[in-house]
Amino acid sequence: MSDIPTEQKVVLIRETGGPEVLRYEEDYPVPEVRGSDILIKNRYAGVNFIETYFRTGLYPCEKPYVLGREAVGVVAAIGADVRRFKVGDRVACLSSGTFAQYTAVSEKSNVLKLPDDIQDGELQAVAGSLVNGLTALTLVDEAYKPQVGEIVLVYAAAGGVGQLLIQLLHARSVRVIAVASTDEKLQIAKSRGAEFLINSSREDIVAKVLEFTDGEGVGASYDSVGKDTFETTLQSVKRKGTIVSFGNASGAVPPFSIQRLTPKNLKILRPQLYGYLATREEWEYYSSKLLHLIRSKKLIINITNLSPLEEFKRLTQLLESRQTTGKLLLAIPD
């Protein structure tokens, strides 16, 4: 590691709070590599809402905590026991601590070797889709797998996960009701395959869902919003329907009596991505499937902003104020 610096540039938190606690530091230690570790020199890292959960304390973490959950880059160094990777390999990594020039992970963790001929645009797409794309894939494959012709509800339809969910569902001939806060966002959802559109800023979501489903309700709701939409979701899902609550954009869903599911025999689950990627076989299956969808252009990753690492604070403020669509990406400095 003689040509690897001892200090690096990172975005981290040393305490919980608002955007003001975010820090861009240029002298943070580069992690050491031992045993089965690989050191990845990051090139692009995706921005996700989960960073907000760690920053505010909704999700606990040690301090200091380097933010970031996904990145693509090049293997810069390997431990003595590494067998699956070599220095110079292009890789994608689903791990904490990717808002940094260097990230160290075990070769046994969620790291995917990328083809040597992968293009820069594809690298950006992969960097911007590991969290969102794998979330969308596992939600429709495992959390709730809708039938052909079934009508489902997708919140935050123009967001990173929302756009990918709609594409995957549309490809399976599932009919999607898209919910977003502006007409512009709804047109994005429509372009991805949504059949029905609801503007949450001026329309009654439940009334529109019942209108679109002839009073029956949807078979499932994919809800990334959380607290603000939970009651609406309960009313929108039909008898024997399923609520997939997978995000907390408006805050965590408050505790509720399980008896509230009884009148319509509802099912509810709160999945997390890593619960579907617990084994190497699961990781290899889903990450390889995502890479194939991207390279074959069967899945469009809408990168709407590429900014330097030091601008993360501005990006997260835009994301949290619902002023963004698609995926935000950070370029990691050399």
Side-chain angles (χ1 to χ4, degrees):
M1 292 180 59
S2 59
D3 58 341
I4 296 173
T6 57
E7 296 179 341
Q8 61 171 330
K9 300 171 183 176
V10 303
V11 170
L12 56 73
I13 56 171
R14 294 184 179 275
E15 59 185 326
T16 57
E20 71 279 356
V21 304
L22 292 168
R23 301 166 65 106
Y24 177 72
E25 299 186 2
E26 299 186 347
D27 57 355
Y28 196 77
V30 172
E32 295 183 9
V33 174
R34 300 185 180 89
S36 61
D37 292 342
I38 65 173
L39 185 69
I40 302 170
K41 188 178 189 305
N42 297 316
R43 183 171 181 181
Y44 298 113
V47 175
N48 296 285
F49 213 94
I50 193 171
E51 277 86 57
T52 300
Y53 303 157
F54 286 113
R55 192 199 73 222
T56 60
L58 180 62
Y59 289 179
C61 62
E62 72 280 4
K63 310 291 187 306
Y65 186 77
V66 178
L67 295 169
R69 308 296 290 185
E70 61 187 348
V72 297
V74 177
V75 175
I78 61 174
D81 300 330
V82 171
R83 298 293 179 265
R84 297 174 56 216
F85 300 95
K86 65 181 185 302
V87 172
D89 281 346
R90 291 185 174 189
V91 292
C93 174
L94 185 67
S95 170
S96 60
T98 60
F99 289 178
Q101 290 175 293
Y102 294 91
T103 301
V105 297
S106 168
E107 72 163 340
K108 299 177 183 179
S109 62
N110 295 332
V111 184
L112 176 69
K113 187 178 185 302
L114 299 173
D116 292 335
D117 65 346
I118 194 166
Q119 302 299 305
D120 191 67
E122 293 174 321
L123 282 175
Q124 292 184 23
V126 172
S129 67
L130 286 176
V131 171
N132 291 346
L134 293 172
T135 295
L137 274 173
T138 54
L139 287 180
V140 301
D141 274 6
E142 300 203 44
Y144 183 78
K145 195 169 186 176
Q147 302 299 307
V148 171
E150 187 173 355
I151 302 178
V152 302
L153 184 65
V154 175
Y155 287 96
V161 176
Q163 289 192 40
L164 301 182
L165 268 175
I166 292 171
Q167 291 179 68
L168 293 172
L169 292 165
H170 179 68
R172 302 177 187 201
S173 299
V174 177
R175 306 172 73 188
V176 176
I177 300 175
V179 180
S181 59
T182 69
D183 289 338
E184 292 76 14
K185 290 181 178 181
L186 288 172
Q187 288 307 306
I188 293 173
K190 183 178 180 180
S191 73
R192 301 296 181 229
E195 183 176 349
F196 308 101
L197 309 176
I198 301 176
N199 186 320
S200 59
S201 297
R202 55 179 171 78
E203 294 182 301
D204 184 314
I205 295 174
V206 176
K208 296 298 290 185
V209 166
L210 294 177
E211 175 188 330
F212 294 144
T213 60
D214 295 325
E216 186 177 31
V218 293
S221 170
Y222 297 96
D223 187 348
S224 61
V225 179
K227 181 179 68 174
D228 289 353
T229 52
F230 183 67
E231 293 297 327
T232 298
T233 294
L234 277 175
Q235 298 176 60
S236 299
V237 176
K238 70 180 182 181
R239 182 179 65 90
K240 297 195 292 185
T242 299
I243 298 170
V244 182
S245 177
F246 68 96
N248 307 298
S250 65
V253 174
F256 69 97
S257 170
I258 197 170
Q259 297 297 328
R260 298 194 63 194
L261 306 177
T262 301
K264 292 193 286 186
N265 281 11
L266 299 181
K267 297 181 286 292
I268 185 169
L269 64 160
R270 180 60 171 87
Q272 61 144 328
L273 174 59
Y274 294 97
Y276 293 127
L277 305 175
T279 68
R280 180 181 295 181
E281 291 75 20
E282 289 172 331
W283 163 253
E284 293 287 348
Y285 172 77
Y286 279 115
S287 60
S288 297
K289 186 173 183 178
L290 178 63
L291 181 62
H292 170 72
L293 289 170
I294 291 172
R295 300 204 81 194
S296 63
K297 296 182 169 41
K298 293 180 179 178
L299 195 62
I300 304 301
I301 311 300
N302 185 20
I303 306 294
T304 56
N305 189 297
L306 175 61
S307 298
L309 177 63
E310 60 265 31
E311 292 188 17
F312 171 70
K313 180 178 179 179
R314 177 180 64 84
L315 294 187
T316 195
Q317 288 173 314
L318 290 174
L319 184 65
E320 292 171 44
S321 61
R322 302 171 69 187
Q323 297 181 49
T324 65
T325 60
K327 186 68 181 187
L328 311 180
L329 209 62
L330 294 170
I332 308 300
D334 291 333

